[in-house]
Amino acid sequence: MSRVQLALLTTVLAAAPAFTAEHDRHALGKVEFPVSCSAPAQAQFNHAMALLHHMTYPQAREAFEKTIQIQPECAMAHWGVAMTLFQPLWPTRPNAAALARGWEEVQKAKRLQASPRERQFIAAAEAFFTQPESPDYWVRIRRWEAASKQAYEALSGDDEAALFYALSHLATTPASSSSREHADKAAEILLAVYDKQPDHPGAMHYLVHANDVPGRERELLDVTRKYDAIAPNNPHALHMPTHIYTRLGDWNGSIKGNLRAAEASLLHPAGEKGELVWDEFAHAIEYLMYAYLQQGADAQAAEQLSRLRRTQRMEPTFKTAFHLASTQARFALERRAWDEALQIQPRTPAYLDWDRFMWAEAIAQFAHGLGAAHLGKNDEAQMAIKRLSELEGVARKANEELFARSIKVLQLELTAWSSYERGQNARSIEIMREAAELESVTPKHAVTPGPTLPAFELLGDLYIAQDKPAQALAAYQSSLKSYPRRFNSLLGAAQSARNIGDTARAKAFYAELIEIAAPDSPRLQVKEARQYVAGSSGR
C-alpha cells in the first residue's frame, strides 16, 4: 500500500465510528418485518433481513440459521435461508447444491405454521427453486418476479413485499434495451417505501441500483450519500454508492468507498467454514483500480492489482474470475501498454472453472488481441476474434443474453481495430460504429464499473489514427456523455479540438483532465495538458 493510499485509508477509518458488534447491528439500518415467531427469534430475524437487504448473503444466511436455532419452527427463518442462496443482481449463478438446499428450506417453511401473508413470501421463493435440477437461471428469475408481483399486489401496503418486487423487477431488466422503464418503475415503488421508512436498508440500497442507469445517476443523490454512511463496516454497503460515483466521474468518492469496502470485505469470509476470501474483495478492488486509472494514478492502480493477485483462497465465483481478468486488462489498456496487453494469458489462474465464466475469459481475449493488433501481430488478433465469437455462442447457448451482447461488443471492437491495422480504414469505422450502437442499447451489468473500453472512445481513437479530428471530437464527446471524466476520452477530445483549431474547447477539456488527474501522475499527457492550459491562458 502506497503512502498516499495509506494516508487516505487512515483518514477514512479515523472518521468512521468504532466497529463493535453492537454498532454494526444498529448501523445496518432499521428493518421491522413481523413474523409468526417468538420475540427472540423476531429480533434475530430482523437482523438477518437487514443483512439480506444489504446483499451480505453469507452473513445473512448465518443470521437466519441462528434464528432457526432460537426457534426451529419459525417458518420465515427457513424462507430467509433460501433467499440468501441466489443473488438477483449479481452474475453468480447458484450451483446444484444451493438449488437443492433452497428447495429443501422452502419445503420446510411450507410445512410449518405460517400466516397467509408469510405464505405469499414463501410461494415467491418457491417459484425460484421449483425444479432444482433445471439449469436455466433466467427461467427461475422470471418466475420469481411474477410471484413477487403477485405477492406485492395481494399484500397492498406491505413494504417488504414492495421491496422484493422492486428488486425482482430490476433483476429482469431486458438485456436488449437501454430503456429506463424497469428502473423507473422500481424506483417509484422504492420511493414509496423510503418515504415511510427512510432508514430501511433495502429501500436505500435498491434505489441506488435503480439509479445505476444512464439518465438516473444524478437522481436522489441524498439517498446515495445516506446509504454511504448507514453501515460503516458492511462491505457491500460501503461499495454500492460508488456505482453512482463512478457514473458521475467522482473518482475520489469511488476511491474512498472502495478502499473501505475492500478492507471490510476481508473481515467477512466466505466458504462453508469461512476459509475463502469473499468475492466482494475483488469487486471493490476493480472499482478502486478503475478510479485510480482515470486519475492517471498508475502506481496506486498497480499496487491494487498486485494486492489482488497476491490474495490466496479467493472464492471461485464468476465475480472473482471477472475481476481477475478485467483488472489486468484495464491496467494495460487504460495505459495503452500494448506490449503488456499482449502478454495477458486468458483462462488464468487455472484453479477457476473458466468454462462457466465466458464473459470473463472474453475480456482477457480482447485485451490480448488488441495488444496483438496494435503490435502488428495480426494472426494472434484473428485467433482472439475467433475465440470471442465462440464465447458469444457459449453465452447465448446458456441463455445469458447480457453476457453475449457484452462479448459481441468486444468482438466488434477488436475486429474494427484489426481491420484498421490491415489498411481497411472505412471498414474499421463501420464496424466500430456497429459496436458503439450495440453498446449504447446494452445495459451495464452491476459487476463492472463500465465497458472494458467504451466503443465511442475507441471510435475516436480510430478517427485520430485516420487524421479526422472533427469526427474524433464528436466520438469522444459521445463517450463522455455516457462515461464522464474518463482520462483517455478527455485527452482525445482535447487533442481533437486542438487539431481543428478550437482553442476554447481544447482548453476546457485539458482543464478537466488536470482537475481529475492525480497531482503526482507520471503520465506525460498530464504535463501536456498543463502546458497547453498555461500557454493558452497567456494569449
Side-chain angles (χ1 to χ4, degrees), residues 435-447:
E437 289 169 6
L438 178 59
E439 183 180 276
S440 68
V441 293
T442 300
K444 182 191 79 68
H445 197 290
V447 75

Side-chain angles (χ1 to χ4, degrees), residues 20-30 47 50 54 199 230-232:
T20 65
E22 186 62 23
H23 175 269
D24 287 348
R25 180 180 290 269
H26 291 297
L28 290 171
K30 187 176 181 180
H47 176 61
H54 282 300
D199 292 325
I230 191 172

Side-chain angles (χ1 to χ4, degrees), residues 160-183:
E160 293 296 330
L163 290 168
F164 282 111
Y165 174 52
L167 177 62
S168 71
H169 199 59
L170 287 173
T172 52
T173 299
S176 58
S177 173
S178 60
S179 170
R180 288 174 31 175
E181 181 181 350
H182 276 238

Side-chain angles (χ1 to χ4, degrees), residues 101-361:
R101 185 178 180 194
W103 175 251
E104 179 184 349
E105 294 291 345
V106 167
Q107 297 312 303
K108 287 179 181 178
K110 288 180 66 178
R111 289 194 294 268
L112 293 168
Q113 184 174 355
S115 69
R117 170 181 179 260
E118 292 165 353
R119 296 206 175 278
Q120 290 283 349
F121 288 95
I122 294 168
E126 184 179 33
F128 180 88
F129 288 103
T130 295
Q131 297 176 316
E133 71 283 354
S134 172
D136 197 322
Y137 173 79
W138 287 103
V139 167
R140 295 176 183 282
I141 283 290
R142 293 186 185 103
R143 284 199 309 246
W144 177 58
E145 185 209 22
S148 296
K149 181 180 181 181
Q150 182 176 336
Y152 169 66
E153 292 174 345
L155 302 172
S156 178
D158 189 300
D159 289 346
E160 293 296 330
L163 290 168
F164 282 111
Y165 174 52
L167 177 62
S168 71
H169 199 59
L170 287 173
T172 52
T173 299
S176 58
S177 173
S178 60
S179 170
R180 288 174 31 175
E181 181 181 350
H182 276 238
D184 287 344
K185 182 175 180 178
E188 181 182 356
I189 295 168
L190 294 166
L191 274 172
V193 177
Y194 181 76
D195 287 343
K196 292 188 289 181
Q197 298 194 61
D199 292 325
H200 195 295
M204 286 181 278
H205 186 175
Y206 307 151
L207 273 170
V208 176
H209 273 293
N211 291 332
D212 187 17
V213 297
R216 290 195 58 93
E217 58 273 274
R218 295 186 180 277
E219 297 188 27
L220 304 169
L221 285 177
D222 56 330
V223 177
T224 298
R225 295 189 181 104
K226 182 177 179 181
Y227 190 57
D228 199 351
I230 191 172
N233 208 30
N234 185 287
H236 193 70
L238 289 166
H239 160 76
M240 192 60 224
T242 70
H243 281 236
I244 303 301
Y245 301 154
T246 298
R247 280 201 180 271
L248 297 175
D250 178 1
W251 308 127
N252 286 330
S254 184
I255 289 167
K256 176 182 174 182
N258 284 301
L259 278 173
R260 292 180 64 193
E263 295 299 321
S265 66
L266 296 175
L267 303 176
H268 294 75
E272 290 299 320
K273 299 179 181 179
E275 73 279 12
L276 301 174
V277 174
W278 193 16
D279 57 17
E280 280 290 284
F281 174 73
H283 192 53
I285 293 294
E286 172 154 15
Y287 272 76
L288 179 56
M289 278 187 64
Y290 185 85
Y292 277 137
L293 288 166
Q294 303 321 310
Q295 294 184 326
D298 298 336
Q300 289 89 336
E303 288 182 18
Q304 293 300 327
L305 179 59
S306 177
R307 179 188 184 191
L308 183 61
R309 287 172 169 171
R310 291 194 312 267
T311 301
Q312 301 295 311
R313 301 186 307 280
M314 288 196 289
E315 193 178 10
T317 62
F318 186 106
K319 284 168 67 176
T320 294
F322 183 93
H323 297 310
L324 286 173
S326 188
T327 50
Q328 64 175 338
R330 289 193 192 282
F331 187 66
L333 300 179
E334 294 284 3
R335 294 162 45 250
R336 297 173 175 175
W338 308 121
D339 53 340
E340 294 179 26
L342 181 62
Q343 297 305 313
I344 291 174
Q345 296 299 315
R347 297 178 71 89
T348 57
Y351 72 83
L352 292 168
D353 182 4
W354 289 98
D355 289 342
R356 296 169 49 211
F357 309 135
M358 66 292 287
W359 185 16
E361 180 188 340

Side-chain angles (χ1 to χ4, degrees), residues 52-98:
L52 179 63
H53 283 306
H54 282 300
M55 298 185 184
T56 312
Y57 295 109
Q59 291 69 42
R61 190 174 312 128
E62 290 178 9
F64 283 121
E65 288 169 343
K66 288 180 181 177
T67 309
I68 294 170
Q69 291 173 8
I70 294 170
Q71 187 177 0
E73 65 274 18
C74 179
M76 288 300 284
H78 293 280
W79 165 86
V81 171
M83 291 298 293
T84 68
L85 293 166
F86 69 105
Q87 299 82 38
L89 299 185
W90 293 5
T92 306
R93 304 294 179 250
N95 59 23

